[in-house]
Amino acid sequence: MSDQVRTRTGTKPPDDWDRRGLPGWTYHSDELFDLEIASIFRTHWQCVCHVNDVAGPGDFQTFDIAGERALIIRDSAGTLRAFHNLCRHRGSRIATGTHGNCGNSLVCPYHGWTYNLDGTLRGPARSETFPPLDNAEWGLKPVEMEVWNGFVFVRFAPGPQGSVADTLACVAGEVAPYGLPDLRPVEGSAYSEQLEANWKAVRDVDNEGYHVRQAHPGLDDLYGRKYYDEPYVDGIARSVGPFNQGPARRWSVRNYRKLLPEATWLPESHRRLWLYVGMFPNQVIGFYPDSVIMYQEVPLSADLTTQRGAIWRRKDESRQLRVARYLSGRIDRDAVEEDRMLAMWTCEAARSSAYEGVFLSDLEYGLRTFHDHLRLFLPVMREEKEPAPGTLRSVNECLISEFGP
Ligand code: FES
């Protein structure tokens, strides 16, 4: 058993673990996709942005996932609010684009209904053509929101997951020195790119470090020798990349390691290390000495996924730290690009007549535990063959009564 996979308690995974992944049909099934949206994505917290992305009155961010549209906005009293981005007249988006500032009101682009920043209706356009409308009753509908260490999460329906704070409690002490509530957005760092792959195939690539040596020359050069993954436990996975000792081969890694100043706000154990915290089902926060990143998969259909992400910097970032952050971003961008093809190829393979599933290395045990979490919510994924058309939901219900949750 390799030392590069550990459980959170420090013990190693069992010797006889089941090395098979999810059956191939789960990567292409439209019926399963619908169930994933309803049972997983609407009921789990999703990170939208950081409070400092919406620092001033009228600043907003939008976020679409699972057929829902969220709007995060700072009102004129400075309170952060989350609403459905959906006009109460006929459902148009109220805020368009991914982010911006709307001034002191939100005006629907369709017919011009106007809302206050606290979500209450200021008034419909041509109000004389409507009966009197109660401004609170006809206001924007709120979405459940939680701010954890400055990161803004939303959830569209209650579910089995506890609060964000409870879910991330196991890493709260470790990440506290990164000064998360004070982070500042890095202008231009937000990205959103579509991949022709099922969201699980994208996550599968990210859930194991076995491929780092072959597929990511930059990351391997940075931390390949001592990198290790801890599998998912109660929805949280942790991966750690202490920097390699000795000379680096690549220009960007060599200079990053050379220019990165001593991160005195971090304990010594974390000053030369990248730490990733995965949060089931679809997002990761990365803690670097020079910056903090977040990325997540947004499923669009069974065969199409958007991957989005952004970078935040320290409030009092020095010039030297800024240069180091530029270089870490460059190393990261290469890795994201390298992973895209891997996700698409493995997802395509599941449709091939030659496909016989996967056989996982000890270094891919984290991926197995991700699949175990999925099977807990959707035990139909245990089935080797896709259920007959129109029966997937009922088969899943039967299996839930047999296996839980
Ligand atoms: Fe918004 Fe008509 S849909 S004003």
Side-chain angles (χ1 to χ4, degrees), residues 258-280:
K258 188 168 94 184
L259 294 172
L260 179 66
E262 192 74 4
T264 51
W265 53 93
L266 300 179
E268 280 190 22
S269 59
H270 285 57
R271 292 180 187 175
R272 312 288 288 180
L273 167 151
W274 284 11
L275 165 70
Y276 305 90
V277 174
M279 189 172 171
F280 180 84

Side-chain angles (χ1 to χ4, degrees), residues 47 148 151 153 168 171 174-175 178 180 183 191 203 206 223 237-241 256 266 270 273-279 283-296 308-313 325 328 332:
C47 184
W148 176 82
F151 285 95
F153 288 78
L168 286 164
V171 294
E174 182 177 21
V175 303
Y178 289 85
L180 304 179
L183 293 174
Y191 66 90
R203 186 100 307 275
D206 199 60
Y223 57 51
R238 186 173 167 276
S239 296
V240 183
Y256 174 56
L266 300 179
H270 285 57
L273 167 151
W274 284 11
L275 165 70
Y276 305 90
V277 174
M279 189 172 171
Q283 53 208 342
V284 173
I285 303 178
F287 301 88
Y288 304 167
D290 51 278
S291 56
V292 173
I293 67 162
M294 187 280 296
Y295 56 96
Q296 76 197 139
R308 68 186 287 266
I311 305 172
W312 293 269
R313 63 170 176 81
R325 170 171 60 72
S328 74
D332 244 353

Side-chain angles (χ1 to χ4, degrees), residues 88-399:
R88 297 296 306 280
H89 175 223
R90 283 177 55 193
S92 169
R93 288 173 187 268
I94 299 292
T96 57
T98 56
H99 64 281
N101 182 287
C102 65
N104 66 7
S105 64
L106 287 154
V107 181
C108 178
Y110 196 169
H111 307 91
W113 281 35
T114 302
Y115 299 85
N116 298 308
L117 301 187
D118 63 5
T120 53
L121 179 67
R122 190 176 293 180
R126 304 185 67 176
S127 58
E128 73 280 7
T129 64
F130 291 94
L133 300 177
D134 181 274
N135 289 352
E137 188 185 332
W138 286 88
L140 300 177
K141 289 194 171 179
V143 173
E144 189 180 9
M145 178 181 75
E146 182 177 341
V147 175
W148 176 82
N149 273 313
F151 285 95
V152 182
F153 288 78
V154 295
R155 180 168 67 169
F156 295 99
Q161 199 179 21
S163 67
V164 178
D166 285 348
T167 305
L168 286 164
C170 56
V171 294
E174 182 177 21
V175 303
Y178 289 85
L180 304 179
D182 284 334
L183 293 174
R184 296 290 186 268
V186 172
E187 200 175 335
S189 70
Y191 66 90
S192 173
E193 294 179 351
Q194 281 189 15
L195 289 86
E196 291 181 6
N198 183 276
W199 72 274
K200 296 188 294 298
V202 185
R203 186 100 307 275
D204 283 352
V205 174
D206 199 60
N207 277 329
E208 49 90 357
Y210 180 38
H211 72 293
V212 167
R213 185 166 298 173
Q214 178 68 26
H216 297 313
L219 294 184
D220 189 48
D221 202 16
L222 180 64
Y223 57 51
R225 285 182 209 143
K226 290 194 175 167
Y227 175 89
Y228 65 90
D229 292 313
E230 290 178 350
Y232 280 91
V233 177
D234 297 332
I236 298 298
R238 186 173 167 276
S239 296
V240 183
F243 295 176
N244 294 345
Q245 302 292 320
R249 298 182 301 275
R250 294 169 75 90
W251 177 89
S252 55
V253 174
R254 195 163 53 245
N255 282 290
Y256 174 56
R257 282 172 44 190
K258 188 168 94 184
L259 294 172
L260 179 66
E262 192 74 4
T264 51
W265 53 93
L266 300 179
E268 280 190 22
S269 59
H270 285 57
R271 292 180 187 175
R272 312 288 288 180
L273 167 151
W274 284 11
L275 165 70
Y276 305 90
V277 174
M279 189 172 171
F280 180 84
N282 66 325
Q283 53 208 342
V284 173
I285 303 178
F287 301 88
Y288 304 167
D290 51 278
S291 56
V292 173
I293 67 162
M294 187 280 296
Y295 56 96
Q296 76 197 139
E297 292 79 44
V298 176
L300 301 178
S301 72
D303 295 307
L304 197 61
T305 301
T306 290
Q307 192 169 51
R308 68 186 287 266
I311 305 172
W312 293 269
R313 63 170 176 81
R314 282 183 67 75
K315 178 183 171 189
D316 55 352
E317 183 182 58
S318 66
R319 186 186 169 93
Q320 193 177 349
L321 196 61
R322 186 165 73 241
V323 174
R325 170 171 60 72
Y326 166 78
L327 290 167
S328 74
R330 189 174 156 145
I331 297 165
D332 244 353
R333 268 199 307 282
D334 287 346
V336 169
E337 195 52 42
E338 288 152 0
D339 275 342
R340 287 169 61 82
M341 291 314 298
L342 303 176
M344 289 194 274
W345 288 339
T346 49
C347 195
E348 279 169 9
R351 284 190 189 277
S352 166
S353 60
Y355 189 72
E356 291 187 355
V358 301
F359 187 67
L360 301 174
S361 153
D362 290 343
L363 299 179
E364 297 169 288
Y365 187 67
L367 195 158
R368 170 76 202 186
T369 58
F370 166 60
H371 291 177
D372 287 342
H373 276 59
L374 288 168
R375 278 183 281 255
L376 191 65
F377 294 104
L378 294 170
V380 70
M381 292 192 193
R382 297 167 187 264
E383 299 290 293
E384 283 306 313
K385 300 271 184 234
E386 183 173 11
T391 67
L392 188 139
R393 191 175 283 265
S394 58
V395 169
N396 192 62
E397 289 300 320
C398 287
L399 291 170

